[in-house]
Amino acid sequence: MSTIAEPLRLACGATLRNRLAKASMSEQLADRGGAPSDDMIRLYERWGRGGAGLLLSGHVMIDARHVAEAGNVVVEDERGIDALTRWVRGASAEGAHAWLQLNHPGRQSPRLFDPAPVAPSAVPLEVGGGVFAAPRALAEGEIWDLVERFARAAAIAERAGATGVEIHGAHGYLVSQFLSPTTNRRRDAWGGDAARRRRFLLEVTRAIRGAVAPGFAVAVKLNSADFQRGGFGDDDALEVIEALGDERVDLLEVSGGTYERAVMFGESAPESTRRREAFFLDFAERARSVARMPLMLTGGFRTRAAMDAALASGAVDVIGMARPLAVEPELPAALLGGTSLGAHTPRLATGWKTLDSIVTGLWYQEQIRRMGRGLEPSASLSRGGALVSYVGELLRHGTSGLRHRRGFGPSKEA
Ligand SMILES: Cc1cc2nc3c(=O)[nH]c(=O)nc-3n(C[C@H](O)[C@H](O)[C@H](O)COP(=O)(O)O)c2cc1C
């Protein structure tokens, strides 16, 4: 029977020392060139001491012209490799595996950061009012360029010492936009039916595999569903997982939701789900029958009892936690050592639909920023305090400071 303390050997040959993973949280702590800052390195040294077997970075952008937020790390060439190397070394100094999560936001980037977004099809987001610019459809040549960019970023991550990468195929970003019939209305080789909609993810996975050593881990974060009418559903997700079985994927992380339906944060989770904590456990149980790779489940886990139960049920192999580790960075070690039975993290809803939930997101971001500065997280911080601090940050850097210096500007191919 698996428990959180048991090691896990992956197909690439790497061994995770336990079943606890820090899931991705966008740190927004890169410098203006898109390289990890000293604060970011300090943050991961702290998480590296926290006991998790696997640390997934926040999403790292593969194209400086299209970033999701201010302060995202960008990996498109070797320019930031020294800082990347120090970052990865800090994260893995105590034995954790450090993987970079690679992402392209597609239409999910506020116009402040991406005034000319690209997407599989020109379908604008239904939330955010005028915050998000409408995307234009990618040309075929641009799609291949993006496939290559994912592969190049993975190769650079490997050279920087990371032991793996995760393709962000969830939460409504570009890969998920390709997967969903509501956002992919193409009628060419990249859309039109489920097989063609998943082609982008499969090509990215193959290209990455071809660019890294066999011992390097390749993971995918995938939505169990988008939870939107006519969108990417759980049967579609099962087919994707089945298809990824042919692609030497080492770990598949299950999540769900998009900016339009932020279920990844537990929004409107039914009571039965709340009891088992994990939001997508029912789906993971179904995925198990088709998955040929280990499964990681992220979203809602807070107590060791629920984690051990999920592992013991055989449905999942790795437990992902995000928000608790923004407030209790040493929680994995405490759970493993038996000094904690679960996270004390307040359960604050987050999402994109309301100002209230955006401010809650800033609250977690502020905890991350505090750790980057070498301070303790502050569970007693008010959300108003987090908002004030964020606005202060904006004023300090100016809105132009939010944009990445290199290559930033209206999309060159526009
Ligand atoms: C501040 C913050 C930033 C996040 N950034 C990312 C990200 O960059 N990539 C990603 O896949 N998920 C991201 N997430 C989602 C988490 O990885 C996770 O799926 C979600 O928070 C649910 O897990 P939890 O209940 O353990 O927090 C973020 C969550 C938060 C709170």
Side-chain angles (χ1 to χ4, degrees):
M1 189 174 96
S2 304
T3 69
I4 59 171
E6 199 178 307
L8 177 69
R9 193 176 154 85
L10 303 174
C12 66
T15 299
L16 305 180
R17 62 184 170 174
N18 60 53
R19 304 304 180 96
L20 299 181
K22 178 210 147 291
S24 286
M25 276 184 283
S26 181
E27 312 84 6
Q28 302 183 41
L29 286 176
D31 66 23
R32 288 195 52 202
S37 63
D38 288 346
D39 280 11
M40 183 114 155
I41 293 164
R42 201 173 297 117
L43 170 69
Y44 275 82
E45 285 167 353
R46 173 108 197 231
W47 271 329
R49 292 192 296 272
L54 171 62
L55 299 180
L56 282 154
S57 74
H59 57 180
V60 164
M61 303 295 127
I62 55 148
D63 187 337
R65 295 166 302 178
H66 304 289
V67 302
E69 294 135 344
N72 288 146
V73 173
V74 180
V75 176
E76 51 178 12
D77 53 39
E78 301 252 348
R79 265 179 285 181
I81 192 134
D82 291 344
L84 271 182
T85 305
R86 285 196 292 131
W87 179 33
V88 168
R89 202 181 291 142
S92 52
E94 302 289 330
H97 277 272
W99 296 358
L100 264 54
Q101 186 189 57
L102 304 180
N103 195 22
H104 185 302
R107 66 179 192 156
Q108 282 191 168
S109 173
R111 66 168 76 234
L112 186 60
F113 313 129
D114 189 353
V118 291
S121 305
V123 181
L125 266 172
E126 284 174 12
V127 293
V131 170
F132 299 90
R136 70 168 175 85
L138 285 157
E140 165 117 33
E142 292 175 309
I143 296 177
W144 283 116
D145 173 61
L146 293 177
V147 170
E148 277 169 34
R149 280 173 175 274
F150 271 100
R152 196 181 318 137
I156 294 169
E158 183 177 34
R159 280 202 284 285
T163 52
V165 291
E166 179 181 70
I167 302 162
H168 197 344
H171 300 172
Y173 293 109
L174 186 72
V175 173
S176 1
Q177 287 160 35
F178 268 97
L179 291 171
S180 169
T182 55
T183 45
N184 182 347
R185 310 232 173 115
R186 302 180 75 96
R187 288 287 174 271
D188 60 4
W190 305 91
D193 58 31
R196 284 179 283 174
R197 284 192 293 272
R198 61 177 175 262
R199 180 170 174 210
F200 183 66
L201 171 59
L202 296 178
E203 294 288 358
V204 167
T205 311
R206 264 173 226 150
I208 289 178
R209 258 284 158 240
V212 298
F216 188 79
V218 178
V220 175
K221 186 167 186 171
L222 188 71
N223 275 357
S224 57
D226 292 348
F227 297 89
Q228 282 172 295
R229 202 188 310 262
F232 180 75
D234 46 6
D235 289 334
D236 298 316
L238 293 175
E239 280 181 23
V240 173
I241 294 171
E242 206 167 357
L244 285 170
D246 295 329
E247 304 298 335
R248 287 189 291 145
V249 168
D250 292 282
L251 187 66
L252 187 115
E253 180 182 359
V254 171
S255 186
T258 66
Y259 281 14
E260 289 174 340
R261 209 48 235 289
V263 293
M264 60 283 219
F265 299 118
E267 179 212 287
S268 61
E271 185 49 38
S272 57
T273 300
R274 281 169 205 262
R275 261 200 314 279
R276 300 170 82 191
E277 292 187 7
F279 309 142
F280 311 110
L281 191 50
D282 291 349
F283 174 81
E285 283 164 354
R286 293 183 65 201
R288 177 54 101 202
S289 59
V290 296
R292 281 184 270 155
M293 69 293 277
L295 295 177
M296 166 169 159
L297 182 60
T298 300
F301 279 116
R302 297 297 180 265
T303 65
R304 172 158 186 168
M307 296 172 201
D308 278 336
L311 291 168
S313 77
V316 301
D317 304 285
V318 178
I319 305 293
M321 271 185 290
R323 286 167 293 179
L325 302 196
V327 189
E328 299 172 70
E330 286 86 21
L331 182 64
L335 292 172
L336 290 160
T339 57
S340 171
L341 295 177
H344 299 294
T345 310
R347 209 184 248 284
L348 302 172
T350 46
W352 273 91
K353 275 198 171 155
T354 63
L355 183 62
D356 182 58
S357 56
I358 291 172
V359 172
T360 304
L362 296 180
W363 187 89
Y364 287 103
Q365 217 79 57
E366 178 60 15
Q367 307 297 347
I368 289 171
R369 247 200 314 273
R370 286 178 65 85
M371 283 193 277
R373 291 201 300 265
L375 302 172
E376 286 303 310
S378 168
S380 61
L381 178 78
S382 71
R383 294 191 305 160
L387 178 62
V388 168
S389 167
Y390 183 75
V391 172
E393 200 71 11
L394 290 190
L395 293 176
R396 243 192 318 281
H397 296 296
T399 47
S400 65
L402 294 173
R403 297 182 176 182
H404 285 272
R405 196 186 293 138
R406 64 174 168 186
F408 187 87
S411 189
K412 280 177 196 139
E413 68 277 66

